[in-house]
């Protein structure tokens, strides 16, 4: 399906590469394709473009360029931060994180549990928020690192990063935040918030896939995760993805330019989409608190219908969205985020995430609103009677069982 026939409401999964970004990166694929570690100028001259990109991504989060380590993606950045926390503090064997993190964090922590590390997955409230008092109490003497996402990829709920950073500082424990979904949507300032590590991924920001970064605060203890050559000042081995870095730099520059106007525009489109769905389609409810929330994200449960069916019919209408559930070997895995918020299985399995971007239009929102009510009525007309259960809260649903949500 070509881009022109797609109505895209899945910008938290990935975003369209901005034309300016593509233009900026192409010379580094077509003409200037050398290896920056080479001694001759055809290769070595590329380092100035890498440093230029590093300065631009650093500016996006108000960091010093020397605090930026380029990686291959957000997942690598998350793994690297947690790994470093453990390796740099070998006598400490506990990790504190939340039950609603991305699989880049949760699955890595599950792996570490199997290696003998202790992990606390802090529960969240029904609106997706954190109990900071509980968070503070959960930091142990042997906590090596604390990791909480800046904004949730499924609900858009924003955590109070500055307050969490202050708690961690008072306990002398390093704090990592996965800001992959927050970048370009809300202001990120590592100095103001006082985080020690922060992950970003370029493909959520109108740059291509395969490039990310980890912010490492100056003087923070850091141990590399990918070990090999001495690229990134010995902090991440591997020949540099120069085109990706340049693209990320350009995307960061554009994000800074557009952030306030985009915030207002995306928010008003999102609010229209959300309020019209909630008012026009009976049996709908928003998942997650209204604020603080990313301006582009809305997660809605549609009572008595499976998300899978909704997505199928949306797809037939050329509409891309995603669910908090995925079909794995014939069985539906409800979203671990929604379960952790206390949603019943039925509600978690009937939830759809709509996420917008700079390229979303009012016409796209109107198109969605034209098709969605009919899709839900059709599916409800065919729903078996026993599926017509209610969506009230499930007090025990806390364990992070992962569904495929990006
Ligand atoms: N963290 C969050 C919150 C995400 O939403 C994602 C991707 O969806 C990632 C990490 C992983 O990023 P990447 O796809 O670059 O590995």
């Amino acid at each position: 399906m070509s881009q022109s026939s797609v109505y895209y409401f899945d910008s938290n999964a990935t975003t369209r590469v901005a034309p300016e970004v593509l233009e900026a990166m192409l010379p580094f694929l077509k003409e200037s394709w050398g290896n920056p570690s080479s001694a001759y100028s055809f290769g070595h001259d590329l380092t100035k473009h890498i440093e230029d990109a590093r300065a631009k991504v650093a500016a996006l989060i108000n960091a010093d360029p020397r605090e930026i380590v380029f990686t291959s993606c957000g997942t690598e950045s998350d793994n690297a931060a947690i790994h470093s926390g453990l390796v740099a503090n070998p006598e400490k064997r506990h990790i504190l994180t939340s039950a609603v993190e991305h699989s880049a964090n949760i699955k890595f922590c599950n792996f570490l549990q199997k290696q003998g590390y202790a992990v606390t997955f802090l529960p969240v409230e029904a609106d997706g928020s954190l109990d900071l008092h509980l968070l503070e109490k959960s930091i142990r003497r042997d906590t090596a690192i604390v990791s909480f996402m800046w904004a949730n990829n499924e609900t858009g709920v924003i955590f109070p990063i500055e307050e969490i950073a202050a708690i961690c500082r008072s306990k002398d424990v390093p704090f990592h935040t996965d800001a992959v979904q927050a970048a370009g949507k809300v202001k990120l300032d590592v100095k103001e918030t006082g985080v020690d590590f922060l992950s970003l991924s370029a493909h959520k920001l109108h740059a291509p896939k395969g490039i990310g970064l980890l912010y490492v605060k100056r003087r923070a203890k850091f141990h590399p995760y990918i070990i090999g050559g001495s690229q990134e000042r010995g902090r991440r081995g591997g020949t540099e993805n120069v085109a990706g870095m340049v693209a990320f730099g350009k995307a960061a520059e554009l994000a800074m330019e557009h952030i306030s106007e985009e915030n207002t525009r995306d928010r008003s489109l999102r609010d229209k989409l959300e309020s019209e769905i909630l008012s026009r389609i009976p049996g709908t409810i928003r998942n997650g608190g209204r604020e603080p929330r990313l301006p582009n994200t809305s997660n809605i449960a549609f009572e008595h219908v499976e998300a899978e069916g909704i997505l199928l019919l949306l797809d037939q209408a050329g509409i891309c969205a995603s669910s908090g559930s995925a079909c794995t070997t014939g069985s539906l895995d409800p979203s671990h985020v929604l379960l952790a918020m206390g949603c019943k299985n039925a509600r978690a399995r009937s939830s759809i995430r709509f996420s917008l971007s700079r390229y979303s239009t009012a016409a796209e929102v109107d198109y969605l609103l034209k098709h969605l009510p009919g899709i839900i009525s059709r599916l409800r007309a065919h729903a078996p009677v026993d599926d017509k259960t209610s969506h009230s809260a499930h007090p025990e649903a806390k364990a992070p069982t992962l569904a495929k949500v990006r």
Side-chain angles (χ1 to χ4, degrees):
M1 195 176 263
S2 76
Q3 186 183 294
S4 57
S5 55
V6 157
Y7 296 82
Y8 195 70
F9 292 90
D10 205 14
S11 296
N12 287 7
T14 198
T15 54
R16 170 187 163 186
V17 174
E20 302 92 320
V21 169
L22 185 63
E23 197 186 323
M25 75 185 284
L26 279 179
F28 299 92
L29 296 170
K30 282 159 87 175
E31 296 116 29
S32 306
W33 42 260
N35 186 329
S37 301
S38 304
Y40 43 81
S41 52
F42 178 64
H44 191 258
D45 279 0
L46 293 171
T47 53
K48 61 175 180 286
H49 297 282
I50 295 179
E51 294 320 311
D52 180 50
R54 196 185 305 283
K56 287 176 178 161
V57 294
L60 180 66
I61 56 173
N62 194 25
D64 185 298
R66 286 166 298 180
E67 295 173 312
I68 301 296
V69 179
F70 281 113
T71 64
S72 67
C73 59
T75 302
E76 183 192 325
S77 304
D78 286 354
N79 284 204
I82 295 171
H83 170 264
S84 176
L86 297 172
V87 176
N89 304 285
E91 70 296 349
K92 299 188 173 181
R93 298 188 61 84
H94 173 246
I95 302 147
L96 173 61
T97 186
S98 85
V100 296
E101 299 294 311
H102 189 267
S103 55
N105 172 322
I106 291 192
K107 285 207 176 166
F108 191 56
C109 286
N110 289 153
F111 163 78
L112 292 167
Q113 279 178 309
K114 292 197 186 107
Q115 311 301 306
Y117 290 96
V119 183
T120 302
F121 294 102
L122 207 70
V124 293
E125 307 291 320
D127 62 357
S129 65
L130 284 170
D131 175 345
L132 290 185
H133 186 59
L134 181 63
L135 187 154
E136 183 162 12
K137 279 200 313 193
S138 305
I139 297 178
R140 309 185 337 194
R141 277 172 187 273
D142 66 338
T143 303
I145 185 148
V146 171
S147 180
F148 285 90
M149 65 205 320
W150 196 302
N152 190 273
N153 47 304
E154 292 190 36
T155 59
V157 168
I158 294 175
F159 282 163
I161 294 304
E162 197 169 340
E163 284 156 88
I164 303 172
I167 293 171
C168 293
R169 222 170 20 255
S170 74
K171 305 258 182 184
D172 204 18
V173 180
F175 174 47
H176 163 251
T177 183
D178 172 344
V180 165
Q181 289 295 346
K185 299 168 191 162
V186 292
K187 184 182 150 213
L188 301 178
D189 187 324
V190 289
K191 294 208 173 76
E192 221 168 82
T193 45
V195 303
D196 299 295
F197 302 101
L198 176 145
S199 304
L200 293 189
S201 178
H203 76 99
K204 311 290 185 182
L205 206 62
H206 302 293
K209 295 146 195 77
I211 183 82
L213 69 79
L214 181 66
Y215 158 80
V216 179
K217 189 181 187 168
R218 195 122 59 113
R219 286 193 273 278
K221 285 196 241 169
F222 181 71
H223 195 280
Y225 181 60
I226 307 273
I227 299 171
S230 53
Q231 294 89 352
E232 298 296 287
R233 299 199 300 147
R235 292 179 296 177
R236 200 266 184 188
T239 303
E240 295 91 338
N241 173 0
V242 182
M245 292 169 179
V246 169
F248 199 177
K250 185 67 191 173
E253 197 174 59
L254 291 171
M256 285 178 73
E257 244 173 65
H258 290 284
I259 193 158
S260 59
E261 141 220 337
E262 213 177 298
N263 197 308
T264 321
R265 210 185 65 90
D266 289 359
R267 187 182 298 277
S268 83
L269 286 178
R270 189 276 312 270
D271 286 350
K272 174 176 177 190
L273 177 155
E274 185 172 285
S275 65
E276 298 246 340
I277 292 177
L278 295 178
S279 64
R280 283 167 47 184
I281 307 179
T284 50
I285 186 165
R286 183 186 57 247
N287 293 313
R290 192 174 158 72
E291 293 295 338
R293 188 167 52 133
L294 292 178
N296 78 321
T297 307
S298 179
N299 190 314
I300 297 178
F302 297 83
E303 209 166 33
H304 308 317
V305 269
E306 293 281 352
E308 208 193 356
I310 305 175
L311 292 179
L312 203 77
L313 296 189
L314 285 175
D315 189 24
Q316 283 173 12
I319 299 168
C320 307
S322 72
S323 75
S325 65
C327 193
T328 28
T329 57
S331 70
L332 280 175
D333 280 342
S335 148
H336 71 286
V337 173
L338 300 182
L339 291 184
M341 288 159 57
C343 294
K344 267 187 141 183
N345 267 359
R347 173 162 164 185
R349 287 207 319 267
S350 71
S351 295
I352 302 284
R353 174 187 73 188
F354 302 97
S355 49
L356 311 179
S357 83
R358 185 186 310 157
Y359 296 108
S360 301
T361 63
E364 277 184 306
V365 171
D366 290 342
Y367 182 85
L368 173 74
L369 291 170
K370 187 171 136 210
H371 284 78
L372 191 58
I375 288 175
I376 301 300
S377 311
R378 265 168 72 194
L379 290 167
R380 281 187 180 152
H382 293 103
V385 180
D386 12 333
D387 272 6
K388 295 183 176 170
T389 46
S390 89
H391 277 167
S392 53
H394 184 333
E396 287 168 38
K398 289 277 191 273
T401 317
L402 293 174
K404 283 184 195 154
V405 175
R406 319 254 169 242

